[in-house]
Amino acid sequence: MADLSDAGFKERTRVSAAREALLDVPPVERTERVPLSVADGRTVAEPIDAVMNVPHYPRAAMDGWAVRAEDTFEASDRSPAVVEPDDSAGPNRAVRVHTGSELPEGADAVVMIEETERVGDELELFDAVAEGENVGPVGEDVETGQRLYEPGHTLRPSDLGLLKGTGVDTVEVFDHPEVAVVPTGEELVQSDPDPGEIIETNRFSISRLAERWGADVTRRDIVTDDREALRAAVQRDLVRDVVVTTGGSSVGERDLVPEVVRDLGEVFVHGVALKPGHPVALGRVEGTTVVMLPGYPVACIVNAVQFLRPLIDHLGGVTPEPLPSREATLTRKIRSEPGIRTFVRVTLEDGESGLEATPTRASGSGVLSSVALADGWVVVEESREGLAAGETVAVENWEYNG
């Protein structure tokens, strides 16, 4: 790779190409067996089969009377069959049942309650039912040994209910990817900044996002702009799957992180064709992926969503899904540069003709409030040179917690 420190970014990798290179790594192979109570959102690591039938007994499919189907032959409104209500089933006898209750031995069908009438000590049946009618047979829902889930499936609450109902109590799942977040910059402080100092916020935001996306996160202290300190910080967390640094990723004199990573391993992307936040770098050291995010908060978040989120999904064996979005009409035009994927922060309001999106910023990568107070962003693809007022756009909810 050419030396970029003096000339700046002569070339910028397209987002799709950068992401493809980033994901060229095998998923995490570590697994653990966990109880269903903590399995929500985890990724299945081995096939899961039903342990028992559901239902495990023949059950009434509705409220009514359990009977022998042959005793209802030719029953109708004008010529009802007559049976004896009883506690046990048998020839010309009927047993009261409710939806879900076990079908009594000796019965093979259920007559709906509205098709019956008590007359003294007898029960009149106005419907001829066939054997098995209004009865849920053993295994109607799930059969013993039936394959329920394959590796790679992300478990949802409904899945957990199904597993519990089929006798499964624990599942083998992939471990969460392990991510270390390392803020860098000699100007950063935790609180009470003097002139020239900045309160560090990226670690807080990026760590929480990574946890939402399914990672186990280690938060590290601020590391100053010193080669040896940065080198030690990266090496310390090579036991993890991903090291995320914030700050120091560009090509200035104090942007040392890519140089340090290059010395330790490789940097395969440095500079991406997106805005805000093109000074992102991606590399690997001893099998650990290093995501070097820009220090400006908005640029940091944009790149985290574009690269760290799909990486965590990939490592965790999860098929990445697009961010949820809502359609809206642009109230103002958006300018963008061809060949650059642009993320424009917008606010949403109900207008006369539907939802309206008003751009707040496409630039200003250090203005954190422009993201925190936005309702989402509009992505202008590389092939477009801006968007016109009145266009229908998709507003992505990048903070979706799902």
Side-chain angles (χ1 to χ4, degrees), residues 367-385:
V367 185
L368 181 56
S369 63
S370 67
V371 162
L373 301 179
D375 295 309
W377 57 41
V378 173
V379 182
V380 185
E381 297 295 339
E382 294 93 335
S383 60
R384 298 292 302 272
E385 188 174 355

Side-chain angles (χ1 to χ4, degrees), residues 38-325:
V38 296
D40 184 25
R42 301 299 295 270
T43 303
V44 174
E46 64 179 26
I48 304 177
D49 298 335
V51 176
M52 58 185 286
N53 290 310
V54 178
H56 62 278
Y57 58 89
R59 62 186 177 186
M62 56 189 60
D63 290 351
W65 291 86
V67 298
R68 297 191 316 165
E70 61 186 274
D71 292 335
T72 69
F73 182 67
E74 294 187 341
S76 67
D77 291 340
R78 292 185 176 182
S79 179
V82 179
V83 295
E84 178 186 352
D86 204 340
D87 294 331
S88 61
N92 297 309
R93 295 203 303 272
V95 179
R96 183 74 170 91
V97 291
H98 303 279
T99 302
S101 61
E102 182 179 9
L103 189 71
E105 185 177 354
D108 57 20
V110 173
V111 178
M112 293 187 294
I113 190 69
E114 53 266 40
E115 296 290 346
T116 67
E117 183 179 347
R118 292 288 295 262
V119 180
D121 294 333
E122 296 179 328
L123 179 71
E124 294 184 346
L125 310 176
F126 303 106
D127 184 31
V129 292
E131 183 177 343
E133 190 168 342
N134 300 325
V135 174
V138 172
E140 177 189 37
D141 190 356
V142 178
E143 294 183 344
T144 300
Q146 180 179 330
R147 178 62 45 84
L148 299 177
Y149 302 109
E150 297 284 359
H153 177 77
T154 301
L155 293 170
R156 305 159 298 177
S158 58
D159 300 326
L160 303 181
L162 176 60
L163 291 173
K164 183 66 175 178
T166 61
V168 176
D169 294 321
T170 63
V171 289
E172 192 76 14
V173 295
F174 287 107
D175 279 357
H176 290 300
E178 295 181 352
V179 174
V181 178
V182 184
T184 76
E186 62 185 34
E187 76 282 8
L188 300 179
V189 294
Q190 290 299 323
S191 60
D192 302 321
D194 291 328
E197 294 180 333
I198 302 171
I199 293 178
E200 196 282 313
T201 60
N202 288 329
R203 172 180 46 183
F204 190 81
S205 299
I206 301 306
S207 296
R208 189 65 192 94
L209 284 170
E211 288 171 338
R212 280 191 176 188
W213 298 331
D216 285 336
V217 177
T218 300
R219 298 166 175 80
R220 296 300 190 184
D221 292 335
I222 298 167
V223 180
T224 191
D225 296 318
D226 174 81
R227 281 184 174 81
E228 292 308 312
L230 292 168
R231 183 185 184 92
V234 172
Q235 289 179 312
R236 171 186 55 196
D237 285 314
L238 293 180
V239 294
R240 289 170 171 77
D241 302 301
V242 183
V243 176
V244 179
T245 62
T246 64
S249 67
S250 190
V251 291
E253 291 184 2
R254 293 193 299 174
D255 293 301
L256 305 175
V257 178
E259 294 181 24
V260 168
V261 173
R262 191 177 294 113
D263 289 342
L264 292 171
E266 66 167 330
V267 174
F268 50 83
V269 170
H270 193 190
V272 177
L274 60 73
K275 181 180 181 179
H278 69 269
V280 63
L282 309 171
R284 284 194 186 90
V285 179
E286 299 178 14
T288 294
T289 302
V290 186
V291 179
M292 294 157 271
L293 301 175
Y296 281 131
V298 180
C300 188
I301 288 172
V302 168
N303 279 284
V305 175
Q306 299 309 302
F307 299 111
L308 183 57
R309 179 177 182 261
L311 177 60
I312 291 172
D313 280 346
H314 174 73
L315 291 174
V318 176
T319 301
E321 295 184 358
L323 292 170
S325 63

Side-chain angles (χ1 to χ4, degrees), residues 293-354:
L293 301 175
Y296 281 131
V298 180
C300 188
I301 288 172
V302 168
N303 279 284
V305 175
Q306 299 309 302
F307 299 111
L308 183 57
R309 179 177 182 261
L311 177 60
I312 291 172
D313 280 346
H314 174 73
L315 291 174
V318 176
T319 301
E321 295 184 358
L323 292 170
S325 63
R326 289 187 285 176
E327 283 194 350
T329 303
L330 274 180
T331 61
R332 297 202 303 263
K333 68 179 179 181
I334 292 174
R335 292 186 175 89
S336 66
E337 181 181 347
I340 304 295
R341 187 173 299 185
T342 305
F343 297 81
V344 182
R345 288 139 273 172
V346 300
T347 58
L348 293 173
E349 291 185 353
D350 290 323
E352 293 182 0
S353 58

